[in-house]
Amino acid sequence: MSTEKNLKPSKELPLGFVDRQEKELLIRDFVISNIKEVMINYGFQYLETPSFEYTDSIGKFLPDKERPDEGVFSFKDGKNWLSLRYDLTAPLARYVAKNYLELPKPFKRYQLGTVWRNEKPGPGRYREFLQFDADYIATGNLIADAELCAMISEILKKCGLTEKDFTIKFSSRKVLDKLFEYIKVNSAETRLKILRSLDKVDRLGWKEVEKLLGKGRKDLSGDFTKGAGLTEIQINEIKEQLNYEGKKITTTNPPPDGKTYDFDQWSKKWGEKEAEPVSNEFIEFEECLTSFGLKNCIFDPTIIRGLEYYTGLVFEVNLNFEVRNPKGQVVKFGSVGGGGRYDNLVSNFGKGIDCPATGISIGIDRLVFALIQKKDFKIKITRPVIICVFDRLQNDKYIKILKKLRASGISSEIYPGEGKLKKQMEYANKIGSPAVIFYGDDEIKSGKATLKNLETGNESSVKVEDLANEIKKLL
RNA sequence: GCAGCAGUAGCUCAGUAGGUUAGAGCACUAGUUUGUGGAACUAGGGGUCGGUGGUUCGAAUCCACCCUGCUGUACCA
């Protein structure tokens, strides 16, 4: 920010925004190309919606304030409030509602795009980031949900991860609804508090979450967070029904009856009639996962995905390896993607539209951040061969060489600056150029250029017409 | 938002019982090499010590307020 005293513009970035370097961008490109391949293979359409939407269209939930900028970036365009999209699902719902009659049903589309959130950034979390999103619209078929899990698994594997590197956790909001009925929590506010607390089991552990469910908890800085105010009996019941610690039932490790969750327990607690529909949903989903050959899926009832619009199954992808920040400290990385069923989101736009849907998204930048941590993860950065400039009057000769090299597919350039040879060498070294070409007086006389390998320092005399082939040998 | 910690050169940081011209390493510029990079050596540029006000003969150092950043926490539809 410039002030009256300091008229120079600031070179600092706004909070939560970053410059991204080539290495990160190339890995991102690699991830994106993998995503596109998988999406075509899975039969999804490619869609793009604009960055801005009417605020109302993507968030009826926004507070009725003078300025709807809580969580989103908004501005007033004439009479209307516009907001930058905060995810790709809400704009999709708007798109589907707008084009409902024309669209094939079910409708499958994927989208890649930047999204913005006006929140406090954290390690690896920014206010602007790239998201990938794939959805099935107008189908309640659970194969769709299982397929989303298979798809995300395939994408991660293409990106170089193995099944051991990540876990897909799933649950359903319905489990918690039954639980709330059972422990007689009816207040929407308390239910929300419980959901938020449970969502933190992953990060804080059960011990701390118990405090949040009860009276409250002090964090490391000494700040106090008020709890949900449940009784000890209620908290114990929640733990008993949700605390699957130690049971660790997974599809890799199925119990004898083939179920990855404790059906009998629910039946006993809620009654068979109440439990059966919930269980059946998981059975069907589970069978699909198995058929798709997914081995690293686990039922975890503390998966909440906070989002208000989820109505049924929810899933989340977590990485199992250590992620470090630039300072080398291990950070709690959290999920790299997730999603679930949102059967009401499209219907919100109009009566008569009954439109179940399910979708999943990946935080691409976060995934890239994690992939960079894998030491064996190398990406080739191409740097140009430099043709050094001795005399501008010989530019036509340099350009001839340049055209030949480029025609042969060799990244190359004539030194673009104005310095002496030393400067040109320093430049080539700094940008990581593999080689330089000298074509000065001596070379022009002999008709042979000097090719210098910058890695070894070796120089060789090469006929101009052989340059391309010689360079290819050393690349 | 709340809480804790921190702000000295482009970067990483040293420097406080308050005291001449504020330091180092890396980076940068020039030279040792006027047709040769990565190493070395020599020289050089670069800072109103986050800002404002106060205490004092004297403030990077002490006090107050503000700004910014980091971490935790809340929120994250």
Side-chain angles (χ1 to χ4, degrees), chain A residues 174-355:
Chain A
K174 290 173 189 169
V175 175
L176 293 162
D177 287 342
K178 297 291 178 200
L179 172 62
F180 289 149
E181 281 173 33
Y182 186 82
I183 59 172
K184 298 194 171 62
V185 171
N186 298 315
S187 138
E189 198 192 334
T190 311
R191 286 189 175 197
L192 203 59
K193 273 199 167 179
I194 297 173
L195 290 178
R196 285 173 184 155
S197 306
L198 291 174
D199 195 32
K200 297 178 177 69
V201 168
D202 218 34
R203 185 156 47 90
L204 304 176
W206 270 102
K207 213 171 185 183
E208 297 303 310
V209 169
E210 275 174 49
K211 291 180 193 165
L212 285 173
L213 290 172
K215 283 174 185 159
R217 163 180 188 267
K218 250 189 205 176
D219 72 36
L220 286 172
S221 67
D223 193 28
F224 185 78
T225 309
K226 212 182 159 206
L230 298 186
T231 65
E232 212 172 298
I233 298 172
Q234 288 174 311
I235 294 175
N236 284 335
E237 195 57 41
I238 290 178
K239 273 172 69 186
E240 196 183 327
Q241 294 195 29
L242 298 192
N243 187 356
Y244 273 60
E245 284 299 318
K247 300 187 186 172
K248 291 280 178 208
I249 309 162
T250 69
T251 41
T252 17
N253 172 29
D257 62 1
K259 294 167 195 145
T260 65
Y261 43 87
D262 197 340
F263 174 79
D264 290 340
Q265 176 181 262
W266 292 345
S267 230
K268 269 179 232 155
K269 295 275 183 186
W270 313 335
E272 217 165 298
K273 269 187 195 163
E274 293 291 314
E276 218 168 302
V278 181
S279 309
N280 286 343
E281 197 173 289
F282 282 117
I283 289 171
E284 189 184 341
F285 180 60
E286 167 70 17
E287 281 170 358
C288 292
L289 290 178
T290 308
S291 300
F292 273 111
L294 292 181
K295 289 180 178 151
N296 47 347
C297 298
I298 176 171
F299 170 69
D300 183 341
T302 66
I303 295 299
I304 309 292
R305 305 273 331 147
L307 320 180
E308 225 165 69
Y309 56 59
Y310 287 123
T311 53
L313 268 177
V314 286
F315 20 85
E316 193 170 287
V317 187
N318 288 86
L319 297 179
N320 298 332
F321 53 89
E322 271 186 357
V323 175
R324 291 166 188 272
N325 65 16
K327 287 183 179 172
Q329 302 161 312
V330 177
V331 292
K332 274 268 175 189
F333 196 65
S335 70
V336 78
R341 284 230 149 245
Y342 49 97
D343 290 344
N344 301 326
L345 200 56
V346 177
S347 331
N348 284 340
F349 283 89
K351 44 195 166 176
I353 300 180
D354 174 26
C355 189

Side-chain angles (χ1 to χ4, degrees), chain A residues 18-34:
Chain A
V18 280
D19 296 318
R20 295 184 190 279
Q21 304 300 324
E22 188 174 41
K23 185 184 174 192
E24 182 179 349
L25 295 176
L26 290 175
I27 295 177
R28 179 207 262 184
D29 287 347
F30 167 72
V31 169
I32 289 173
S33 68
N34 289 333

Side-chain angles (χ1 to χ4, degrees), chain A residues 386-392 395 413-427:
Chain A
I386 311 291
I387 299 165
C388 293
V389 175
F390 290 87
D391 181 354
R392 289 189 189 203
N395 272 348
E413 67 179 7
I414 294 170
Y415 175 67
E418 301 170 25
K420 299 175 178 177
L421 189 59
K422 183 184 168 80
K423 238 192 170 153
Q424 305 191 29
M425 295 295 291
E426 280 170 355
Y427 167 79

Side-chain angles (χ1 to χ4, degrees), chain A residues 117-132:
Chain A
R117 292 188 189 177
N118 190 2
E119 294 165 352
K120 192 197 148 184
R125 293 184 68 184
Y126 300 105
R127 291 159 94 197
E128 173 183 65
F129 53 97
L130 191 61
Q131 206 172 54
F132 158 71

